[in-house]
Amino acid sequence: MHYTGTIWRPPYEADSLLLEVTAGCTHHNCKFCTLYSDLPFKFRMSPLKDIESDLLEAQILRTNPHSKMLNILSGKSCPEPIRRVFLTGANPFVLKTDKLLEIAEIIRKYLPSVESIGCFARVTDSVKKTDEELTLLRQAGYNRLTIGAETGDNAALSFMQKGYTARDILTQCRRLEQADISYGFFYLTGISGKGNGESGAKATAKIFNQLHPFLVGPNMLTIYPDSVLYREIRNGNWQEEGELEKYRELHTLVENLHIETYFAAMGASNAFQLRGRLPEDKEKLLKTLERIISDVSEQELRRYRKHLPHL
């Protein structure tokens, strides 16, 4: 299989075939992001011959009769047919519709068992696609996209150079819904900065409540020394939220979400794994967050007392 740099996928795509069709990010301008800094280029599409070669390899390993017979002879269980493919790269959905349709056709040529195709997508990836094109992509199997919306706080979106507004989230996601393309949101806890966490969460809930994401997946903002955001902090232009504020922010987000969705903080950046369906599990999630907030408050108080001068 052809893979370039570090490969990222959502936790819930663990059982999907990871197929590289792009590498890098077309935007590559978010101040906090270092995910694709190991690449010597901004963005590129994989050659079709590489995509086809990878699919042939997957076909041989998973569906070829000779491969199945070898598994039986060696006492191994035969793998399940591949039902879903996840296209890797920051935003493969940005590719032109005819290219995405061609990729879908090649996937089914080698893996006819595939039922759906997912990928990461930017809010803006659908801007240049017509409503008719989005419908064609849904018919070709594109569904359950993962969108790094991050927040509905316009001030944070602007400062972090996300390249879109809260209004754009509403407009483009409604277009996806019209085409019957489902999507999940990644939310970035801490993106609004010190003193703004809870107001940012309220602004986000206001936007998300007007949409129908299958998932809201919070991830904690992690600041790396090689990021632009780190330099902004060093220059005094931005302050990071403390742990206590971050969990109060999450509590505010859950409290203000009034849609049916799956709330899941599953990524490695989350010190506490939180999962539950909304609205059914809202009270359970809120009580869990209240316990976390209480524990974090006690830890911060102990650290404060530790540094008090002894009288």
Side-chain angles (χ1 to χ4, degrees):
M1 302 292 286
H2 296 83
Y3 293 118
T4 306
T6 305
I7 301 301
W8 305 95
R9 61 151 177 83
Y12 45 82
E13 295 286 0
D15 293 331
S16 304
L17 172 68
L18 303 182
L19 180 67
E20 181 172 300
V21 300
T22 65
C25 175
T26 55
H27 185 62
H28 198 59
N29 206 32
C30 302
K31 290 183 178 180
F32 55 82
C33 185
T34 61
L35 293 185
Y36 302 96
S37 58
D38 58 341
L39 300 179
F41 51 83
K42 181 177 177 180
F43 177 87
R44 77 178 184 198
M45 178 183 166
S46 301
L48 285 176
K49 64 180 180 62
D50 287 352
I51 297 173
E52 197 157 3
S53 171
D54 288 346
L55 288 167
L56 176 60
E57 183 178 340
Q59 180 196 63
I60 292 171
L61 291 174
R62 300 295 292 271
T63 63
N64 186 280
H66 296 292
S67 178
K68 289 182 178 179
M69 183 60 69
L70 285 173
N71 277 339
I72 294 171
L73 292 174
S74 60
K76 298 177 183 177
S77 60
C78 292
E80 292 292 321
I82 296 171
R83 304 293 184 192
R84 180 167 171 82
V85 172
F86 184 81
L87 310 182
T88 68
N91 58 322
F93 203 65
V94 76
L95 296 176
K96 291 182 178 179
T97 299
D98 59 352
K99 191 61 65 179
L100 289 170
L101 292 174
E102 185 176 11
I103 289 169
E105 185 177 349
I106 296 172
I107 288 173
R108 292 209 166 75
K109 172 184 174 183
Y110 289 95
L111 301 173
S113 59
V114 169
E115 298 170 351
S116 64
I117 304 168
C119 62
F120 284 123
R122 276 181 52 77
V123 168
T124 55
D125 284 353
S126 54
V127 169
K128 293 184 178 180
K129 293 177 174 62
T130 66
D131 293 343
E132 292 74 17
E133 287 175 325
L134 291 176
T135 299
L136 285 174
L137 290 170
R138 177 64 183 93
Q139 292 170 351
Y142 288 92
N143 199 26
R144 291 177 69 84
L145 308 180
T146 297
I147 301 174
E150 321 297 16
T151 183
D153 176 358
N154 275 320
L157 289 171
S158 176
F159 179 80
M160 294 298 179
Q161 298 179 171
K162 285 297 300 179
Y164 55 81
T165 66
R167 173 57 58 181
D168 294 326
I169 297 173
L170 281 176
T171 300
Q172 297 309 318
C173 289
R174 282 171 173 164
R175 294 185 64 229
L176 292 177
E177 291 180 11
Q178 185 179 345
D180 196 31
I181 297 175
S182 64
Y183 56 87
F185 284 143
F186 275 179
Y187 173 80
L188 199 54
T189 313
I191 192 173
S192 294
K194 185 176 181 180
N196 302 308
E198 293 183 66
S199 61
K202 289 178 181 178
T204 300
K206 184 177 180 180
I207 296 298
F208 288 5
N209 282 336
Q210 300 176 65
L211 298 167
H212 303 87
F214 69 81
L215 168 129
V216 174
N219 293 289
M220 288 288 177
L221 174 65
T222 304
I223 301 165
Y224 293 96
D226 55 340
S227 67
V228 174
L229 183 57
Y230 183 81
R231 294 199 296 272
E232 293 279 24
I233 294 171
R234 293 290 298 269
N235 292 334
N237 298 327
W238 194 82
Q239 287 183 283
E240 184 180 6
E241 293 179 32
E243 291 301 299
L244 185 58
E245 183 177 2
K246 288 178 183 177
Y247 285 106
R248 284 176 174 160
E249 174 184 340
L250 272 182
H251 187 280
T252 300
L253 179 64
V254 173
E255 191 174 35
N256 285 274
L257 283 173
H258 305 303
I259 52 174
E260 293 184 6
T261 190
Y262 189 63
F263 186 89
M266 298 181 290
S269 65
N270 297 290
F272 300 93
Q273 302 288 300
L274 301 166
R275 300 185 188 190
R277 287 216 61 84
L278 295 177
E280 301 97 303
D281 299 323
K282 177 179 282 195
E283 289 306 313
K284 182 183 72 175
L285 286 167
L286 289 175
K287 287 179 181 178
T288 300
L289 283 163
E290 284 160 12
R291 287 196 298 271
I292 293 170
I293 289 167
S294 178
D295 290 343
V296 172
S297 298
E298 183 61 32
Q299 290 168 13
E300 290 191 356
L301 182 59
R302 284 200 298 268
R303 282 196 295 268
Y304 172 73
R305 285 172 176 165
K306 184 178 178 181
H307 292 92
L308 283 174
H310 295 286
L311 301 178

